[in-house]
Amino acid sequence: MAKRRPTPLRTSEQDVAASKRAPQTPQTQSPAFRLAFADDDFLTSEDTRGIRFQLEYQKTEQRLHEHGINSTVVLFGGARIPEPGKPAWAAKNETQKKNLELASRYYDEARRFAQLAAMTSNSLDDKEFVVVTGGGPGVMEAGNRGAADLGAQSIGLNIVLPHEQAPNLFVTPELSFNFHYFATRKIHFLLRAKVVAIFPGGFGTLDEFFETLTLIQTGRMERIPLLLFGAEFWGKVINFEALAEAGTIAPSDPDLFTLVDTAQQGWDVVRAFYELPDLGPPPGWK
């Protein structure tokens, strides 16, 4: 975190340390005696929920500001999609195993797409088009990995889940965050987003896609490249034509996103939208 400015007043850290050295008496051992900002029971109480929202927003905002990150490229997609050649660890039956292994190509496309973003980010002092993911496995890992391939920093916005989850090892450690509130996490996904790329996934991915799409459709968010990777997958999962025929969306609403199948196709859309230079393929591309 940023260094504290010099002040003649005592700091909160000094008083936290001093309060721990207080004599052990019934009064000092009472929860009432704890400094409010150092009292976990108070900070996690129902009455301070609003404060926790603010803290989750502020901590991440402050750290991103300190790193000078102005804009991001967001990658959403399935945590269960394995790296090519690796077992489909989340498969519950043979059909799922087969399909998840076939979907592993999206791991590669997400990694390549992140590499293309990282090339542009590197050319802009790692301040613009910085890759951000949910910080977990699958497509998220591929995104952070693609940035790491080119030595670029990337962000991971993890969330505490009932089952074990740790940030993937490709997230920049100083930009590896953890959230309790989905709502605060979603703010940070889109607050700096210049691109949102959606790869095949489950409920979480659908939620993130439709939330972004709704914000753009309603004018609550500026129009940005919103990319759906995998035309065949999305054509099976969502019947946009049926929604338009039913009148529940406008006939032009599907134009708010672009279906693509490869990283290069996706980045070509981004380059055209922002008039970015063609930096060529990342090193090592065949």
Side-chain angles (χ1 to χ4, degrees):
M1 303 297 283
K3 291 183 178 179
R4 185 187 291 273
R5 291 189 296 271
T7 173
L9 300 174
R10 284 181 61 83
T11 66
S12 54
E13 288 97 334
Q14 288 173 321
D15 277 357
V16 168
S19 67
K20 292 178 179 178
R21 296 193 299 268
Q24 297 295 299
T25 68
Q27 290 75 25
T28 63
Q29 293 185 46
S30 168
F33 185 76
R34 299 172 192 157
L35 289 166
F37 51 81
D39 184 347
D40 287 344
D41 291 334
F42 171 67
L43 287 176
T44 57
S45 68
E46 185 174 354
D47 292 334
T48 56
R49 180 176 291 123
I51 296 171
R52 293 196 298 277
F53 269 106
Q54 293 177 55
L55 289 172
E56 282 209 330
Y57 169 80
Q58 185 60 38
K59 178 180 179 180
T60 307
E61 180 66 15
Q62 184 171 326
R63 182 61 64 92
L64 294 177
H65 179 74
E66 289 169 3
H67 279 72
I69 295 172
N70 298 318
S71 67
T72 56
V73 174
V74 184
L75 278 75
F76 292 129
R80 305 181 185 202
I81 292 178
E83 178 184 355
K86 297 290 180 68
W89 58 270
K92 304 300 182 184
N93 53 53
E94 285 302 312
T95 299
Q96 288 196 345
K97 180 177 182 296
K98 174 186 174 183
N99 288 330
L100 284 170
E101 288 175 354
L102 287 172
S104 67
R105 71 182 184 87
Y106 293 111
Y107 183 105
D108 276 347
E109 293 302 334
R111 184 176 177 181
R112 292 188 182 107
F113 186 76
Q115 289 173 349
L116 289 164
M119 284 183 67
T120 297
S121 185
N122 283 340
S123 73
L124 298 170
D125 297 323
D126 279 336
K127 309 300 183 187
E128 308 287 348
F129 295 97
V130 177
V131 169
V132 56
T133 79
V139 166
M140 295 174 280
E141 176 186 285
N144 296 116
R145 186 175 182 177
D149 288 339
L150 274 77
Q153 62 183 352
S154 70
I155 303 164
L157 304 180
N158 275 83
I159 191 157
V160 179
L161 299 175
H163 52 274
E164 278 189 43
Q165 178 172 314
N168 70 68
L169 298 179
F170 301 99
V171 178
T172 299
E174 295 79 14
L175 298 174
S176 180
F177 302 99
N178 203 15
F179 290 84
H180 171 68
Y181 295 108
F182 269 98
T184 319
R185 180 177 181 245
K186 287 180 175 182
I187 289 171
H188 282 297
F189 270 129
L190 297 182
L191 193 60
R192 291 171 169 82
K194 277 197 169 181
V195 182
V196 173
I198 313 286
F199 292 82
F203 292 151
T205 303
L206 289 166
D207 173 56
E208 289 150 347
F209 168 54
F210 279 118
E211 182 152 43
T212 307
L213 186 58
T214 300
L215 288 169
I216 294 173
Q217 182 210 43
T218 56
R220 297 293 298 175
M221 179 177 176
E222 292 180 5
R223 181 83 179 264
I224 63 171
L226 178 57
L227 308 173
L228 274 186
F229 277 81
E232 182 181 0
F233 174 85
W234 293 109
K236 290 180 180 178
V237 172
I238 308 172
N239 191 334
F240 295 105
E241 290 182 3
L243 290 172
E245 287 176 3
T248 54
I249 64 171
S252 61
D253 280 345
D255 296 335
L256 297 173
F257 57 87
T258 305
L259 285 164
V260 296
D261 282 309
T262 69
Q264 190 62 62
Q265 288 173 352
W267 196 252
D268 285 345
V269 173
V270 176
R271 280 203 314 107
F273 190 91
Y274 291 110
E275 298 181 348
L276 297 171
D278 184 358
L279 300 178
W285 268 33
K286 295 180 180 179

